[in-house]
Amino acid sequence: IDLLKIDIEGGEVPLFRDGRCEEWLGHVSNIAIELHGDECERAFFGAMSGFDYTVVRSGELHICFDIRARAARQ
């Protein structure tokens, strides 16, 4: 997926918590997401913790681009 736009009005918590997104998140290159509150931010950025990416803020959107799996440390 080249670009995934997410605006699910608070549905970020169930989507991104507890590893529910692990199967598909690694197939996304860029995400534009509107996060609805602190709990949603924690769930989303927690799910993104295994990835390297650049994030910018534009209005209500967090835009994460060039998402790639974080290299394993040896």
Side-chain angles (χ1 to χ4, degrees):
I1 299 169
D2 289 327
L3 175 61
L4 178 62
K5 166 69 166 71
I6 302 172
D7 183 1
I8 50 178
E9 303 301 323
E12 299 91 349
V13 174
L15 179 63
F16 288 104
R17 72 170 177 219
D18 303 329
R20 294 180 182 189
C21 60
E22 289 178 2
E23 186 175 313
W24 57 267
L25 191 55
H27 298 281
V28 179
S29 299
N30 305 283
I31 296 175
I33 186 167
E34 186 175 330
L35 296 168
H36 299 88
D38 293 339
E39 187 178 8
C40 294
E41 275 196 46
R42 284 191 298 276
F44 175 69
F45 286 112
M48 294 295 289
S49 66
F51 297 90
D52 290 321
Y53 56 93
T54 301
V55 63
V56 295
R57 185 95 190 255
S58 178
E60 296 178 331
L61 291 176
H62 287 82
I63 303 166
C64 302
F65 59 93
D66 195 23
I67 300 169
R68 60 218 173 274
R70 185 165 286 146
R73 295 185 178 176
Q74 296 182 11

